[in-house]
Amino acid sequence: MAILKGIAGAVAGYALGFAVVAAAQLAMGNPVGGAVPVVIGSVFATVGWLLGVGLWRAWAREWFGLEPRLDVPTGPGRYFRFNTDHKVIGVQYLVTFVIVFGLAGLLAMVIRWELITPAADLGGDAYNQVMSLHGILMVAVAVAAVLGGLGNYCVPLMIGARDMAFPRLNALSYWLIPPVAVLLLTAPFVGGWDSGWTAYPPLSVVNAGGQVLFVVAIVIFGLSSILGGLNAIATILRMRAPGMTLMRMPIFVWSVLAASIISLLFTQFFAASLILVLLDRVAGTTFFEAAGGGNPLLYQHLFWFYSHPAVYVMILPGFGITLEVLTHFSRKPLFAYKGAVAGFLGIVVLSGIVWAHHMFTSGMAHFMNIPFMALTELISIPTGLVFLSALGTIWRGRLWLRTPMLFALAVLFNFAIGGVTGIYLADVATDIHLQDTYFVVAHFHYTIVGGEIFALMAGIYYWYPKITGRMYREGLGRLHAVWMFLAFQLVFLPLFVAGIHGMNRRINEYVEPLRGYNVFASVAAFVLGAVFLIALGNLVWSWARGRVAEANPWRATTLEWTTSSPPPPHNFEQTPEVVGDPYPYGEPGAVHVRPVTVPTIAGGSE
Amino acid sequence: MDETQTPPKGRPRIGREELWAALLWVALTAAGEAVLWKAPLLPERYANTAHIVDDAFLVLTRLAVPVFAFVLTVLVVSLLRFRSRGEPAEDGEPIRGTPRTIATWLGITGGLAVLLIFYPGVYGILELQRAHSAGVEGETEPLIVEIEAARWAWTVTYPDAGVTTGEELVLPVDRTIRFEITSVDVLHSFWIPAFRAKIDAVPGLTTVTTVRPERTGSYEDDPALRLQCAELCGLAHSTMMLPVRVVEGPAFDAWLLEQGAAGMPTCEPSGTELRIVAENIAFDQTCLAVPADTPFTIELVNNDAGVPHNLSIAEDPEWTRVLYTGETFDGVATRTYEVPGLPAGVYRFRCDVHPIPAMSGTFVVKEVEGS
């Protein structure tokens, strides 16, 4: 119902926005149409959608002196409406982005299918659109699936809070996502856009009209990220249970805090750079047009000023999940906890001052090469601390090789490759050859997929019993982990070599000697794609029919495992009291949370 | 694995597993370095810049081997020795690491990062700058080649010769070439994989890269010899490519002539007895021509009283590959040089005493029908 109202609101908003602009165009004697009414229509449609889907009912009414209506429904219906429960929102994010991941994965299959032969099978324009859509959808998954999904679900539970600091803002952040998806997916019907997820001008100023929808979508998505980051920071700093000092926080919470700081500080630069592109397109400005006194390089500086930190928005929570899972499944305290925290914060600081390493071949002034190379290579130091923590944790542990652990161990292997190959791209001499080749493609797939997405899988399996109250099928989970790990290596290792040997990015035709690598990678990619069918089957089937999970199937020590699976709407029957380190393994008598002596019956505290 | 007593918290300890790990790490590192010794990691190199890039690549790979081997070792040994069958009945040792562990680790990783920054990092940048500054001995000016990118084609202009082409990029071997690159519409990127040279083509900006090809070759033999657009530029980005051909200097000049080089005189051979007059520090001809592989004579008439002149022939404008040097003599006098046959090609002649434009010219050696 709420969604139908939202759609009605969106249609009405679009009509209103379009009509206002059209009226203005008529009044000024200009032809009606073009990009402006579409842009304004899309913005109004987003507002209409939000109001219809529940913002009016739950929030905006009180701006007009009316009582807001915040009902707390139960049953599956609660996922399809404006709901302020962080657990519901976490599941909304997770399911939404699993669907987006599936779509973007299908596009990846199209890309690999096109690249089996050196000749063009799809047209150049169709290919560029497929590649661009794959890129931005996967970037959205990488930015929001872990933070918005697992971050939302787990952080309040892990710090002993009843909800996020700003529950309605949290719901707003989620309900901004569907318009983003709709705008990106309708772009192909107005010519699509062919400038990749990076949208460099002048191309993004002169290409097809789908680019406009891309700009609006990303600005909305950026708003969602900023609000989400703000909310997570406020929650972590202000909502912790008694005794939960910063240094007693589970490491995943630290990683969400670090990533949220980056989200809050940098996302607006992406939105700003795209708004400048939009103005160049529709308002006749010349920010990026050389003939009008603009400079195309300006965009790249603005864009990477966000988009490099963004890769840490992606990977930091991935590191957090990995360390979290490694410590519980090694049954050891997290090794060098303070070192890992320092590593996260070091990455946050450095992330903002390395952006121009994406621009060594851009034509920017040469004097910038040495400082940006040096700063970039310094990131290996805080990243090294994360590895110290991870490797020290599994060493001499009691490794329990359940599905989450297999994925977490795979992250270490994959990110070692992803990190080491990053040095080649930070080094100016080697980057000159490797920039814009498949070496870069393989590198960032190793870091983002091999690092973050493998960690996302670890997190999904790890918290699955907590979220759904049921256990997945362990055998199928392990099959997923091993299969995905092996197939992933087979797809992306040959692509490093293809890049070194002259395969540039974003092409649908290539020279004959590169055929072997591509055939190999494509076949492996289809094998990799197939495993997600098994995983999806396992996760969906188990949600309905799986064995009922206990409160703490992993015998883990952190707070989310002290409440029922799934937790009650208010999370904890009584406010937990934290008395020690989150990972008191092997230390007899030490506990993270004071044991609850009098169990109470769930429910009824609203 | 059975611990009879718990060591003090956080204290590192050397046990059997640590020794196994050390051995495995050394073995994996040695194996990796050994493979690198012979592995053909990189495509063929056709220019000076390629050596600098590839040297940096190899240094980084050599340093990457022990780092990756370390992670792999910890993973492998942990999986083999610390795996629990089923749910672990007891916890692991609560080793949390001491500040000293972290400090040691920071020292090692920090040292490695600083090493990387200076070598191959800064070192490579300086090497590339040296290569780009074209300080090759005996060479005065680099050959300027202008590259204009437009969707979706490359246009190559040799401004000194007045030649413009969009068919292929032909370059002389062993000459420093300065590419001046721009774009008329969107961003493109100039990339020749065989040279390891890449720089974007930016509207409103002229970007420059300098290379010195060291080997002859062509796209037909090695597809890494191509000028490939490496920055997404829309519809036909994939096929925005120009074949590259590196040829000997004379063949390059011959090609320029074929393309109708303006300002570069040309002439046809007519016999094997040439005559040229030097007067007022100038030759009376700007072009000489003889049949290929046939000995010939040049009669040099020096009409400048008391002024020395001669005539020499070379392959390249820097006179590093001289084919023939005639004897220098004062005027007024006449000498006849006997020159052995030369292979077909376009060469240059000049007076070595006065290597000025007025005393330089084109020396065409051509296959002649029936000769």
Side-chain angles (χ1 to χ4, degrees):
Chain A
M1 241 347 252
I3 288 178
L4 286 180
K5 280 188 201 165
I7 292 170
V11 171
Y14 191 87
L16 178 65
F18 198 100
V20 166
V21 177
Q25 284 174 327
L26 275 177
M28 291 191 297
N30 292 336
V32 173
V36 182
V38 176
V39 172
I40 303 297
S42 303
V43 173
F44 275 55
T46 304
V47 175
W49 157 260
L50 289 173
L51 289 173
V53 87
L55 187 71
W56 169 255
R57 222 175 125 72
W59 196 349
R61 282 171 61 91
E62 90 184 17
W63 306 341
F64 301 94
L66 303 167
E67 272 298 299
R69 294 181 186 161
L70 257 180
D71 35 20
V72 186
T74 50
R78 70 187 189 277
Y79 294 110
F80 296 96
R81 56 196 304 149
F82 194 87
N83 192 318
T84 56
D85 182 342
H86 72 98
K87 298 183 289 302
V88 171
I89 296 169
V91 171
Q92 287 170 333
Y93 264 106
L94 274 176
V95 172
T96 304
F97 281 102
V98 163
I99 293 168
V100 175
F101 181 78
L103 283 174
L106 284 176
L107 294 172
M109 297 298 111
V110 174
I111 290 172
R112 286 315 322 171
W113 169 75
E114 160 66 83
L115 292 175
I116 291 176
T117 60
D121 304 304
L122 280 172
D125 190 51
Y127 180 82
N128 285 342
Q129 288 190 41
V130 167
M131 173 275 296
S132 300
L133 197 55
H134 165 76
I136 194 63
L137 291 179
M138 283 300 194
V139 164
V141 169
V143 165
V146 176
L147 270 186
L150 296 175
N152 246 314
Y153 197 99
C154 299
V155 164
L157 287 168
M158 294 173 98
I159 61 173
R162 294 172 67 112
D163 205 324
M164 297 287 276
F166 308 113
R168 293 186 293 197
L169 204 60
N170 201 18
L172 174 64
S173 302
Y174 169 72
W175 287 104
L176 282 168
I177 301 294
V180 175
V182 169
L183 284 166
L184 290 177
L185 294 174
T186 49
F189 299 103
V190 289
W193 83 98
D194 60 355
S195 58
W197 82 275
T198 51
Y200 279 8
L203 180 60
S204 58
V205 174
V206 298
N207 59 359
Q211 188 75 55
V212 171
L213 298 186
F214 171 89
V215 169
V216 178
I218 295 306
V219 172
I220 296 171
F221 185 62
L223 180 62
S224 167
S225 285
I226 292 171
L227 296 178
L230 178 81
N231 210 341
I233 293 170
T235 305
I236 294 167
L237 293 185
R238 305 298 306 165
M239 305 285 285
R240 300 193 306 277
M244 177 68 85
T245 60
L246 287 176
M247 283 302 165
R248 284 177 182 166
M249 293 199 307
I251 198 70
F252 176 63
V253 178
W254 265 113
S255 71
V256 170
L257 178 63
S260 299
I261 293 171
I262 298 176
S263 266
L264 182 64
L265 289 184
F266 293 101
T267 308
Q268 54 273 36
F269 289 91
F270 193 8
S273 57
L274 286 178
I275 288 172
L276 297 183
V277 165
L278 189 64
L279 290 173
D280 271 11
R281 284 185 79 104
V282 304
T285 57
T286 55
F287 291 105
F288 308 124
E289 191 194 329
N295 183 351
L297 290 188
L298 169 64
Y299 175 88
Q300 295 176 39
H301 284 293
L302 285 170
F303 173 82
W304 288 114
F305 195 68
Y306 161 72
S307 293
H308 193 76
V311 305
Y312 300 107
V313 173
M314 303 172 191
I315 196 61
L316 280 170
F319 284 159
I321 294 172
T322 304
L323 294 181
E324 193 73 36
V325 167
L326 289 176
T327 185
H328 294 303
F329 287 80
S330 302
R331 310 216 61 83
K332 269 184 64 196
L334 187 69
F335 189 82
Y337 174 97
K338 285 181 184 167
V341 170
F344 292 166
L345 297 179
I347 287 173
V348 171
V349 170
L350 285 174
S351 75
I353 46 176
V354 297
W355 75 90
H357 68 229
H358 293 271
M359 299 173 61
F360 289 146
T361 64
S362 70
M364 71 173 181
H366 286 302
F367 72 85
M368 291 167 81
N369 287 352
I370 288 179
F372 277 100
M373 175 186 71
L375 288 165
T376 303
E377 291 184 352
L378 288 180
I379 292 191
S380 61
I381 299 172
T383 309
L385 283 175
V386 176
F387 263 83
L388 170 70
S389 178
L391 299 176
T393 300
I394 60 173
W395 192 251
R396 295 202 163 275
R398 302 282 185 272
L399 272 55
W400 191 14
L401 298 181
R402 303 297 288 266
T403 307
M405 185 61 165
L406 293 178
F407 276 110
L409 291 170
V411 169
L412 298 183
F413 181 91
N414 295 338
F415 201 86
I417 293 177
V420 160
T421 51
I423 299 282
Y424 293 76
L425 301 171
D427 184 274
V428 173
T430 44
D431 182 64
I432 286 174
H433 180 57
L434 299 172
Q435 165 71 346
D436 275 316
T437 67
Y438 261 75
F439 190 92
V440 178
V441 173
H443 158 73
F444 70 69
H445 280 86
Y446 258 95
T447 51
I448 301 304
V449 182
E452 191 208 0
I453 298 299
F454 273 74
L456 172 66
M457 297 301 154
I460 286 176
Y461 283 102
Y462 175 55
W463 283 302
Y464 187 88
K466 180 58 56 185
I467 294 172
T468 64
R470 291 177 185 271
M471 283 305 287
Y472 60 87
R473 295 289 290 264
E474 181 60 32
L476 289 176
R478 288 187 207 181
L479 178 69
H480 176 197
V482 173
W483 183 334
M484 184 170 159
F485 175 75
L486 294 176
F488 176 77
Q489 313 302 329
L490 296 179
V491 179
F492 290 101
L493 280 177
L495 294 183
F496 282 117
V497 189
I500 293 168
H501 283 268
M503 180 152 177
N504 47 316
R505 282 175 81 175
R506 296 165 160 178
I507 51 170
N508 66 334
E509 295 179 57
Y510 53 86
V511 292
E512 179 63 34
L514 300 170
R515 184 198 285 258
Y517 307 115
N518 279 288
V519 171
F520 192 94
S522 288
V523 172
F526 303 143
V527 174
L528 176 61
V531 75
F532 291 102
L533 300 176
I534 296 174
L536 194 67
N538 184 12
L539 295 175
V540 170
W541 187 88
S542 301
W543 199 333
R545 295 283 152 94
R547 182 167 58 78
V548 172
E550 349 158 17
N552 188 3
W554 313 121
R555 290 194 297 115
T557 51
T558 42
L559 270 175
E560 77 272 30
W561 301 106
T562 62
T563 185
S564 60
S565 297
H570 45 281
N571 290 351
F572 299 96
E573 297 308 334
Q574 60 187 71
T575 306
E577 190 188 346
V578 177
V579 291
D581 182 271
Y583 313 114
Y585 290 106
E587 292 168 329
V591 286
H592 176 47
V593 55
R594 189 186 300 284
V596 178
T597 44
V598 188
T600 52
I601 306 303
S605 74
E606 279 306 293
Chain B
M1 287 284 293
D2 288 347
E3 261 66 55
T4 46
Q5 56 185 40
T6 312
K9 184 173 153 187
R11 174 78 59 82
R13 180 198 34 164
I14 308 298
R16 210 180 337 157
E17 284 79 11
E18 282 77 8
L19 288 175
W20 273 115
L23 274 177
L24 182 60
W25 181 46
V26 170
L28 283 174
T29 303
E33 300 290 350
V35 169
L36 277 184
W37 202 256
K38 283 287 176 198
L41 276 183
L42 296 146
E44 294 285 326
R45 290 170 281 272
Y46 282 85
N48 60 341
T49 42
H51 292 281
I52 299 164
V53 168
D54 289 7
D55 287 350
F57 192 97
L58 278 174
V59 171
L60 289 178
T61 310
R62 292 203 174 287
L63 291 170
V65 167
V67 172
F68 183 68
F70 182 81
V71 175
L72 194 59
T73 299
V74 176
L75 284 172
V76 168
V77 176
S78 297
L79 280 173
L80 292 178
R81 300 287 301 163
F82 304 135
R83 186 180 55 203
S84 167
R85 311 211 173 271
E87 186 173 347
E90 54 178 24
D91 289 350
E93 294 165 51
I95 313 167
R96 291 176 179 273
T98 59
R100 214 169 115 189
T101 324
I102 297 181
T104 310
W105 182 267
L106 277 178
I108 295 168
T109 54
L112 201 54
V114 171
L115 169 67
L116 289 175
I117 288 168
F118 286 100
Y119 183 77
V122 173
Y123 175 82
I125 292 177
L126 297 179
E127 284 284 286
L128 281 172
Q129 268 176 10
R130 197 169 316 150
H132 286 173
S133 60
V136 181
E137 207 177 329
E139 188 168 87
T140 46
E141 290 291 317
L143 173 71
I144 291 176
V145 178
E146 294 169 359
I147 305 284
E148 187 183 86
R151 293 201 286 174
W152 290 271
W154 297 100
T155 305
V156 182
T157 301
Y158 302 83
D160 291 339
V163 168
T164 295
T165 174
E167 299 294 314
E168 59 175 342
L169 174 58
V170 181
L171 301 169
V173 74
D174 290 332
R175 272 197 76 183
T176 300
I177 296 152
R178 178 184 159 93
F179 291 104
E180 298 181 353
I181 301 149
T182 193
S183 164
V184 298
D185 40 42
V186 301
L187 294 176
H188 301 273
S189 191
F190 170 97
W191 182 36
I192 301 177
F195 295 172
R196 316 288 192 271
K198 184 184 292 131
I199 188 85
D200 282 4
V202 183
L205 193 67
T206 299
T207 52
V208 172
T209 190
T210 311
V211 298
R212 189 176 172 88
E214 293 178 331
R215 289 170 56 185
T216 58
S218 70
Y219 172 72
E220 284 70 31
D221 309 325
D222 188 342
L225 272 169
R226 67 184 198 278
L227 167 51
Q228 172 82 52
C229 179
E231 184 69 70
L232 180 61
C233 58
L235 182 68
H237 166 58
S238 307
T239 49
M240 185 167 162
M241 186 274 282
L242 209 56
V244 173
R245 186 153 59 95
V246 180
V247 297
E248 297 289 347
F252 174 69
D253 288 334
W255 177 82
L256 276 184
L257 271 185
E258 267 171 41
Q259 302 293 314
M264 191 160 172
T266 183
C267 49
E268 293 295 316
S270 57
T272 57
E273 293 174 2
L274 305 175
R275 185 171 185 278
I276 188 165
V277 179
E279 196 171 309
N280 298 329
I281 325 288
F283 284 131
D284 66 338
Q285 291 163 62
T286 56
C287 183
L288 296 171
V290 290
D293 305 315
T294 315
F296 57 94
T297 59
I298 307 172
E299 186 185 347
L300 172 58
V301 181
N302 180 348
N303 285 342
D304 289 333
V307 178
H309 287 304
N310 84 330
L311 187 142
S312 70
I313 304 167
E315 281 189 13
D316 57 318
E318 279 74 40
W319 245 256
T320 52
R321 284 182 305 281
V322 180
L323 298 172
Y324 179 80
T325 305
E327 188 192 343
T328 306
F329 59 96
D330 291 348
V332 176
T334 298
R335 294 281 164 91
T336 301
Y337 303 135
E338 293 189 0
V339 188
L342 297 175
V346 175
Y347 308 104
R348 291 138 202 279
F349 71 86
R350 72 176 186 189
C351 165
D352 288 332
V353 188
H354 309 98
I356 56 171
M359 295 208 78
S360 308
T362 311
F363 201 99
V364 180
V365 180
K366 235 181 174 175
E367 303 282 355
V368 174
E369 292 294 318
S371 73

